[in-house]
Amino acid sequence: MSDAAGGVRGRDFTGYRIAGALSALLFLVLLAWQIVFMLGGGDTVTPEVAWSSAATEGPDTPGARTGGGTLVAETLTARTRLQDERFRTGPSAEGDVPERALDPGTRLTTAPLEDGSSLTAAWAVPDDDSAAMMHESGRVEGRSSLPYANAALFERPFARDWRIGMSDVITHMGALAILGMAFLLSAVLALRGRVPIRRGKSGRTVKRFGFLERATHWLTAISFLGLSFTGLAIAYGETLFVPLGARAMGTLGWWSTWGHVLFAPTFFLGILIMAVMWTAKNLPSRLDAQWLAQGGGFFSDDGPHPPARKFNAGQKLIFWSAILGGLVMVLTGVTLMFPFYWLDLGGMSWAMLIHAAIAVLLIAVFLAHIYIGSVGMHGAVHAMWSGRVDRNWAAEHHDLWLKENASDTEGAR
Amino acid sequence: MARAKFLCDAERCIECNACATACKNEHEVPWGLVRRRVVTLNDGEPGEKSIATSCMHCTDAPCVSVCPTSTLYQTDIGIVLHDKDTCIGCGYCFYACPFGAPQFPKSTLFGSRGKMDKCTYCAGGPEEDHSEAEYRKYGTNRIAEGKLPICAEVCSTRALLAGDGETIGEIYRERVVHRGFGSGAWGWNTAYYPGDAG
C-alpha cells in the first residue's frame, strides 16, 4: 500500500481487534473477580477440622463416634489440671488416672469442620484475667544453648505485619497489576489495532539483531517465563489450583519450587550478557525525552514518528527494568536460597517481600513488552526472530539507527 | 470448648532443656531440626529469664494464612497442624511465624528446602491416628490418647504448661498471687489475641 492510499492504519487489522476485544472482556471479568475477591471480607484463619472421641475397639463399632467436642474438652481440661501444684495433683502426671481419662479403647480423632469462624472470633477476645496477665507484645531475642540458626529468637510480632504485606498487599496488588495490564493491552488492541507499518512492507530487510543478541534475548526470555510461571504457581496456587485438589497443588508446587531454582542461573547469565552487550546503547539521551513526550507514536497513526536510534526510550525502559529488576530478583532470590547465610530472619522476610513485589511488577511490565513485540506492532517480531526487519519498519521506528546502519554498510563495502 | 495453648512461666523455667530433649526423643525429630527450644534472656545478668518456646498454635495463625498450598490447617481446639505431603518448602510460613517455629531440613546443596517441620502439639498429622506413616512424618499422637504435649508433661518445675488455655491461665495466676510476682504470659498477646496486639 502506498502513501497516496493513506497508508496502512492500525484499525485495518480487524481480526486482531476482535481478538483484542474478546480478551479485554475476559480480563475485565477476571479483574472484577479479583476485586470482589479482594474486598470480599478478610482472610481470617478459621479452624477446618474438629476433634471428637471415637471408640476404636470394644462393644461399639470401631470408629463409631461416642462423644463430640464437649467430651474432648473435658478430657483435655482434666488432663490440664494435672499440671497444677504438686500438693494437689501428686508428683507425676502419670501418677493418678484423671477422672476424665480416656479408656484404652477410645481415641480422640479429627473430622472436617463446616464453619469455624465463630471459634476464631471467640479466641481473639481475651477475658479480663487473661488480659491482665499478658506480657506485652514485642520483639524478644535472647540466647540459646542449641546450635541451630534462629534458635535464640523468642518472639517477633513483625511476622504478623509480614503476613499482611504478603497475602493482602502484594498478592492482591500484584493480581491487580497483572490483570490490569493485560486488560489495558487488550483494550488498546481492540480500539487502536496494531501499530502498523504505515508504508507497508517494502520486502527488503535490514539486519537488526545478531545471533548472540537473539540467543541472549531468548535465553533470558525463556528463563523469565519459567520463573514467572513457577513463581505465580507458588504465589497464587492456593486460589488457582487448590480447587483442583490439595494433592495436585502439592505436586505442582513442589515442581514449581524446584523449577524456580533451576531457571534462576540461566536468567542471571542472560541479564549479565545483556548488560555487557546493550548498556552502551541504552544510556539515556535527549531523544528519549522527545520520544516519551510523543508517547512513542504508539497511540496514533498520524503525525511524525519520534526519531530513535537502535533503542528508543520505551526499549531503554524495558532494558533497565530487566537489568535492574533482574539484579534485585537474583540478589533477593539467592539470599532466600541460602537461609541465614548473610541475613537474619528479619532481613530474609524483607528480601521475600521485595522479591515478591518486584516480581509482580516485572511480570506486568514484561506483559507490555511481549505485547508490543508480537501482536502489538506489525513487523516487530522479526527483529528478535530472524534478526532482520523490514526497511520501512526500521525507517518508521528507528530512523536514525537505519541511517547510521545503512551508511556503515556502505562504508564497509 | 477448650482452647489449647502453651504458657511458659519464665520465673520457673530453669533452662534444663528437658522439654526440647523429650520432644526430640518422643517424635524422633530429624537431625538439624528442633520443635521446642529454650531461649534465655539477659543471660548472666540480673533479671535473667528462660522461656521455652515452640509453635504457639496462634489464633488467626499467620502461617496458615500465607501457605500457598493449604498445607497448614487449624483444629477446633486451636492446634495448628500440617500436611507434609502437600508442603512445597516455599518458606512462607517461616517468614510469617512470629515465633520462628517452622523449620526446613536442608535437602540439597543449593539451599532448596525440604518439607516443613514444626510442633504438632503432639497431635500427629492428617494421616490415620497412630499409623506408621503418621509417626514417621509427625511423631507420636498423644492428643488422640487424651494426653497433652510431652514437653509440658515432662517439665520438672511445671514451668511449661500446656492444655486448655483457661485452666493453665488459672494455674499460672494462682501461682503469681501466691508468690507475689510474675512476668506474665510471654507471647500470648502476639500469639492468641492478634486484634489486641500492639
PDB file of all heavy atoms in Angstrom, chain B residues 63-85:
ATOM      1  N   CYS B  63       0.780 -18.363  59.622  1.00  0.00           N
ATOM      2  CA  CYS B  63       1.359 -19.401  58.765  1.00  0.00           C
ATOM      3  C   CYS B  63       0.271 -20.049  57.908  1.00  0.00           C
ATOM      4  O   CYS B  63       0.459 -20.296  56.719  1.00  0.00           O
ATOM      5  CB  CYS B  63       2.062 -20.457  59.615  1.00  0.00           C
ATOM      6  SG  CYS B  63       1.004 -21.187  60.878  1.00  0.00           S
ATOM      7  N   VAL B  64      -0.883 -20.300  58.519  1.00  0.00           N
ATOM      8  CA  VAL B  64      -1.990 -20.920  57.786  1.00  0.00           C
ATOM      9  C   VAL B  64      -2.445 -19.969  56.686  1.00  0.00           C
ATOM     10  O   VAL B  64      -2.737 -20.370  55.557  1.00  0.00           O
ATOM     11  CB  VAL B  64      -3.164 -21.246  58.728  1.00  0.00           C
ATOM     12  CG1 VAL B  64      -4.271 -21.945  57.977  1.00  0.00           C
ATOM     13  CG2 VAL B  64      -2.697 -22.097  59.893  1.00  0.00           C
ATOM     14  N   SER B  65      -2.468 -18.683  57.030  1.00  0.00           N
ATOM     15  CA  SER B  65      -2.949 -17.686  56.081  1.00  0.00           C
ATOM     16  C   SER B  65      -2.061 -17.593  54.843  1.00  0.00           C
ATOM     17  O   SER B  65      -2.564 -17.493  53.730  1.00  0.00           O
ATOM     18  CB  SER B  65      -3.012 -16.328  56.770  1.00  0.00           C
ATOM     19  OG  SER B  65      -3.195 -15.311  55.840  1.00  0.00           O
ATOM     20  N   VAL B  66      -0.734 -17.612  55.025  1.00  0.00           N
ATOM     21  CA  VAL B  66       0.144 -17.385  53.880  1.00  0.00           C
ATOM     22  C   VAL B  66       0.475 -18.652  53.101  1.00  0.00           C
ATOM     23  O   VAL B  66       1.006 -18.575  52.007  1.00  0.00           O
ATOM     24  CB  VAL B  66       1.473 -16.704  54.298  1.00  0.00           C
ATOM     25  CG1 VAL B  66       1.211 -15.349  54.912  1.00  0.00           C
ATOM     26  CG2 VAL B  66       2.270 -17.584  55.230  1.00  0.00           C
ATOM     27  N   CYS B  67       0.168 -19.821  53.649  1.00  0.00           N
ATOM     28  CA  CYS B  67       0.561 -21.066  52.988  1.00  0.00           C
ATOM     29  C   CYS B  67      -0.077 -21.162  51.599  1.00  0.00           C
ATOM     30  O   CYS B  67      -1.292 -21.121  51.465  1.00  0.00           O
ATOM     31  CB  CYS B  67       0.148 -22.274  53.809  1.00  0.00           C
ATOM     32  SG  CYS B  67       0.582 -23.824  52.982  1.00  0.00           S
ATOM     33  N   PRO B  68       0.746 -21.269  50.533  1.00  0.00           N
ATOM     34  CA  PRO B  68       0.166 -21.289  49.193  1.00  0.00           C
ATOM     35  C   PRO B  68      -0.449 -22.630  48.818  1.00  0.00           C
ATOM     36  O   PRO B  68      -1.105 -22.726  47.781  1.00  0.00           O
ATOM     37  CB  PRO B  68       1.350 -20.970  48.286  1.00  0.00           C
ATOM     38  CG  PRO B  68       2.554 -21.329  49.055  1.00  0.00           C
ATOM     39  CD  PRO B  68       2.205 -21.320  50.509  1.00  0.00           C
ATOM     40  N   THR B  69      -0.251 -23.648  49.596  1.00  0.00           N
ATOM     41  CA  THR B  69      -0.764 -24.960  49.208  1.00  0.00           C
ATOM     42  C   THR B  69      -1.768 -25.525  50.216  1.00  0.00           C
ATOM     43  O   THR B  69      -2.131 -26.692  50.136  1.00  0.00           O
ATOM     44  CB  THR B  69       0.378 -25.976  49.063  1.00  0.00           C
ATOM     45  OG1 THR B  69       1.051 -26.076  50.318  1.00  0.00           O
ATOM     46  CG2 THR B  69       1.365 -25.550  48.003  1.00  0.00           C
ATOM     47  N   SER B  70      -2.217 -24.699  51.158  1.00  0.00           N
ATOM     48  CA  SER B  70      -3.144 -25.171  52.187  1.00  0.00           C
ATOM     49  C   SER B  70      -2.588 -26.378  52.932  1.00  0.00           C
ATOM     50  O   SER B  70      -3.320 -27.277  53.307  1.00  0.00           O
ATOM     51  CB  SER B  70      -4.514 -25.526  51.598  1.00  0.00           C
ATOM     52  OG  SER B  70      -5.078 -24.393  51.021  1.00  0.00           O
ATOM     53  N   THR B  71      -1.267 -26.378  53.123  1.00  0.00           N
ATOM     54  CA  THR B  71      -0.635 -27.444  53.883  1.00  0.00           C
ATOM     55  C   THR B  71      -0.988 -27.327  55.356  1.00  0.00           C
ATOM     56  O   THR B  71      -1.223 -28.315  56.041  1.00  0.00           O
ATOM     57  CB  THR B  71       0.889 -27.359  53.694  1.00  0.00           C
ATOM     58  OG1 THR B  71       1.217 -27.889  52.431  1.00  0.00           O
ATOM     59  CG2 THR B  71       1.638 -28.098  54.754  1.00  0.00           C
ATOM     60  N   LEU B  72      -1.023 -26.087  55.840  1.00  0.00           N
ATOM     61  CA  LEU B  72      -1.274 -25.844  57.255  1.00  0.00           C
ATOM     62  C   LEU B  72      -2.768 -25.686  57.488  1.00  0.00           C
ATOM     63  O   LEU B  72      -3.477 -25.107  56.668  1.00  0.00           O
ATOM     64  CB  LEU B  72      -0.533 -24.585  57.701  1.00  0.00           C
ATOM     65  CG  LEU B  72       0.984 -24.762  57.832  1.00  0.00           C
ATOM     66  CD1 LEU B  72       1.706 -23.537  57.344  1.00  0.00           C
ATOM     67  CD2 LEU B  72       1.346 -25.060  59.268  1.00  0.00           C
ATOM     68  N   TYR B  73      -3.231 -26.221  58.604  1.00  0.00           N
ATOM     69  CA  TYR B  73      -4.644 -26.064  58.949  1.00  0.00           C
ATOM     70  C   TYR B  73      -4.784 -26.088  60.456  1.00  0.00           C
ATOM     71  O   TYR B  73      -3.883 -26.519  61.175  1.00  0.00           O
ATOM     72  CB  TYR B  73      -5.491 -27.151  58.284  1.00  0.00           C
ATOM     73  CG  TYR B  73      -5.122 -28.567  58.680  1.00  0.00           C
ATOM     74  CD1 TYR B  73      -5.860 -29.237  59.649  1.00  0.00           C
ATOM     75  CD2 TYR B  73      -4.046 -29.217  58.102  1.00  0.00           C
ATOM     76  CE1 TYR B  73      -5.531 -30.529  60.024  1.00  0.00           C
ATOM     77  CE2 TYR B  73      -3.710 -30.509  58.475  1.00  0.00           C
ATOM     78  CZ  TYR B  73      -4.454 -31.167  59.436  1.00  0.00           C
ATOM     79  OH  TYR B  73      -4.122 -32.437  59.803  1.00  0.00           O
ATOM     80  N   GLN B  74      -5.911 -25.568  60.918  1.00  0.00           N
ATOM     81  CA  GLN B  74      -6.126 -25.454  62.360  1.00  0.00           C
ATOM     82  C   GLN B  74      -7.297 -26.324  62.778  1.00  0.00           C
ATOM     83  O   GLN B  74      -8.250 -26.513  62.020  1.00  0.00           O
ATOM     84  CB  GLN B  74      -6.387 -23.982  62.706  1.00  0.00           C
ATOM     85  CG  GLN B  74      -6.224 -23.673  64.182  1.00  0.00           C
ATOM     86  CD  GLN B  74      -6.059 -22.184  64.435  1.00  0.00           C
ATOM     87  OE1 GLN B  74      -6.493 -21.364  63.646  1.00  0.00           O
ATOM     88  NE2 GLN B  74      -5.431 -21.840  65.545  1.00  0.00           N
ATOM     89  N   THR B  75      -7.217 -26.847  63.998  1.00  0.00           N
ATOM     90  CA  THR B  75      -8.330 -27.648  64.503  1.00  0.00           C
ATOM     91  C   THR B  75      -9.185 -26.803  65.446  1.00  0.00           C
ATOM     92  O   THR B  75      -8.792 -25.698  65.822  1.00  0.00           O
ATOM     93  CB  THR B  75      -7.841 -28.896  65.258  1.00  0.00           C
ATOM     94  OG1 THR B  75      -7.322 -28.472  66.516  1.00  0.00           O
ATOM     95  CG2 THR B  75      -6.752 -29.618  64.491  1.00  0.00           C
ATOM     96  N   ASP B  76     -10.322 -27.337  65.828  1.00  0.00           N
ATOM     97  CA  ASP B  76     -11.272 -26.549  66.622  1.00  0.00           C
ATOM     98  C   ASP B  76     -10.827 -26.322  68.057  1.00  0.00           C
ATOM     99  O   ASP B  76     -11.511 -25.628  68.806  1.00  0.00           O
ATOM    100  CB  ASP B  76     -12.662 -27.184  66.584  1.00  0.00           C
ATOM    101  CG  ASP B  76     -12.689 -28.543  67.280  1.00  0.00           C
ATOM    102  OD1 ASP B  76     -11.599 -29.144  67.434  1.00  0.00           O
ATOM    103  OD2 ASP B  76     -13.772 -28.994  67.670  1.00  0.00           O
ATOM    104  N   ILE B  77      -9.676 -26.909  68.477  1.00  0.00           N
ATOM    105  CA  ILE B  77      -9.156 -26.512  69.791  1.00  0.00           C
ATOM    106  C   ILE B  77      -7.898 -25.658  69.619  1.00  0.00           C
ATOM    107  O   ILE B  77      -7.161 -25.428  70.563  1.00  0.00           O
ATOM    108  CB  ILE B  77      -8.894 -27.711  70.721  1.00  0.00           C
ATOM    109  CG1 ILE B  77      -7.928 -28.699  70.093  1.00  0.00           C
ATOM    110  CG2 ILE B  77     -10.194 -28.412  71.092  1.00  0.00           C
ATOM    111  CD1 ILE B  77      -7.490 -29.800  71.068  1.00  0.00           C
ATOM    112  N   GLY B  78      -7.678 -25.189  68.404  1.00  0.00           N
ATOM    113  CA  GLY B  78      -6.619 -24.221  68.167  1.00  0.00           C
ATOM    114  C   GLY B  78      -5.316 -24.808  67.672  1.00  0.00           C
ATOM    115  O   GLY B  78      -4.425 -24.071  67.244  1.00  0.00           O
ATOM    116  N   ILE B  79      -5.159 -26.133  67.722  1.00  0.00           N
ATOM    117  CA  ILE B  79      -3.904 -26.742  67.301  1.00  0.00           C
ATOM    118  C   ILE B  79      -3.700 -26.548  65.803  1.00  0.00           C
ATOM    119  O   ILE B  79      -4.607 -26.790  65.009  1.00  0.00           O
ATOM    120  CB  ILE B  79      -3.905 -28.252  67.644  1.00  0.00           C
ATOM    121  CG1 ILE B  79      -4.046 -28.443  69.157  1.00  0.00           C
ATOM    122  CG2 ILE B  79      -2.633 -28.918  67.136  1.00  0.00           C
ATOM    123  CD1 ILE B  79      -4.157 -29.893  69.580  1.00  0.00           C
ATOM    124  N   VAL B  80      -2.496 -26.069  65.431  1.00  0.00           N
ATOM    125  CA  VAL B  80      -2.174 -25.868  64.019  1.00  0.00           C
ATOM    126  C   VAL B  80      -1.366 -27.075  63.543  1.00  0.00           C
ATOM    127  O   VAL B  80      -0.296 -27.360  64.074  1.00  0.00           O
ATOM    128  CB  VAL B  80      -1.382 -24.569  63.804  1.00  0.00           C
ATOM    129  CG1 VAL B  80      -0.969 -24.436  62.352  1.00  0.00           C
ATOM    130  CG2 VAL B  80      -2.204 -23.372  64.243  1.00  0.00           C
ATOM    131  N   LEU B  81      -1.889 -27.781  62.558  1.00  0.00           N
ATOM    132  CA  LEU B  81      -1.237 -28.986  62.043  1.00  0.00           C
ATOM    133  C   LEU B  81      -0.791 -28.760  60.604  1.00  0.00           C
ATOM    134  O   LEU B  81      -1.190 -27.783  59.969  1.00  0.00           O
ATOM    135  CB  LEU B  81      -2.199 -30.171  62.121  1.00  0.00           C
ATOM    136  CG  LEU B  81      -2.603 -30.579  63.541  1.00  0.00           C
ATOM    137  CD1 LEU B  81      -3.673 -31.666  63.495  1.00  0.00           C
ATOM    138  CD2 LEU B  81      -1.412 -31.045  64.345  1.00  0.00           C
ATOM    139  N   HIS B  82       0.042 -29.656  60.103  1.00  0.00           N
ATOM    140  CA  HIS B  82       0.493 -29.516  58.718  1.00  0.00           C
ATOM    141  C   HIS B  82       0.522 -30.868  58.018  1.00  0.00           C
ATOM    142  O   HIS B  82       0.637 -31.915  58.651  1.00  0.00           O
ATOM    143  CB  HIS B  82       1.857 -28.838  58.654  1.00  0.00           C
ATOM    144  CG  HIS B  82       2.955 -29.559  59.385  1.00  0.00           C
ATOM    145  ND1 HIS B  82       3.016 -29.651  60.741  1.00  0.00           N
ATOM    146  CD2 HIS B  82       4.043 -30.208  58.919  1.00  0.00           C
ATOM    147  CE1 HIS B  82       4.094 -30.324  61.091  1.00  0.00           C
ATOM    148  NE2 HIS B  82       4.737 -30.684  60.012  1.00  0.00           N
ATOM    149  N   ASP B  83       0.396 -30.779  56.693  1.00  0.00           N
ATOM    150  CA  ASP B  83       0.354 -31.974  55.855  1.00  0.00           C
ATOM    151  C   ASP B  83       1.639 -32.021  55.035  1.00  0.00           C
ATOM    152  O   ASP B  83       1.795 -31.269  54.083  1.00  0.00           O
ATOM    153  CB  ASP B  83      -0.871 -31.896  54.934  1.00  0.00           C
ATOM    154  CG  ASP B  83      -1.005 -33.115  54.036  1.00  0.00           C
ATOM    155  OD1 ASP B  83      -0.070 -33.947  54.018  1.00  0.00           O
ATOM    156  OD2 ASP B  83      -2.034 -33.230  53.343  1.00  0.00           O
ATOM    157  N   LYS B  84       2.553 -32.898  55.419  1.00  0.00           N
ATOM    158  CA  LYS B  84       3.849 -32.915  54.742  1.00  0.00           C
ATOM    159  C   LYS B  84       3.767 -33.379  53.299  1.00  0.00           C
ATOM    160  O   LYS B  84       4.689 -33.172  52.527  1.00  0.00           O
ATOM    161  CB  LYS B  84       4.840 -33.801  55.508  1.00  0.00           C
ATOM    162  CG  LYS B  84       5.283 -33.159  56.804  1.00  0.00           C
ATOM    163  CD  LYS B  84       6.550 -33.762  57.336  1.00  0.00           C
ATOM    164  CE  LYS B  84       6.909 -33.082  58.647  1.00  0.00           C
ATOM    165  NZ  LYS B  84       8.193 -33.504  59.174  1.00  0.00           N
ATOM    166  N   ASP B  85       2.657 -34.017  52.926  1.00  0.00           N
ATOM    167  CA  ASP B  85       2.542 -34.482  51.547  1.00  0.00           C
ATOM    168  C   ASP B  85       2.308 -33.336  50.580  1.00  0.00           C
ATOM    169  O   ASP B  85       2.636 -33.434  49.401  1.00  0.00           O
ATOM    170  CB  ASP B  85       1.399 -35.493  51.412  1.00  0.00           C
ATOM    171  CG  ASP B  85       1.753 -36.789  52.120  1.00  0.00           C
ATOM    172  OD1 ASP B  85       2.948 -36.983  52.410  1.00  0.00           O
ATOM    173  OD2 ASP B  85       0.840 -37.575  52.403  1.00  0.00           O
TER     174      ASP B  85
END
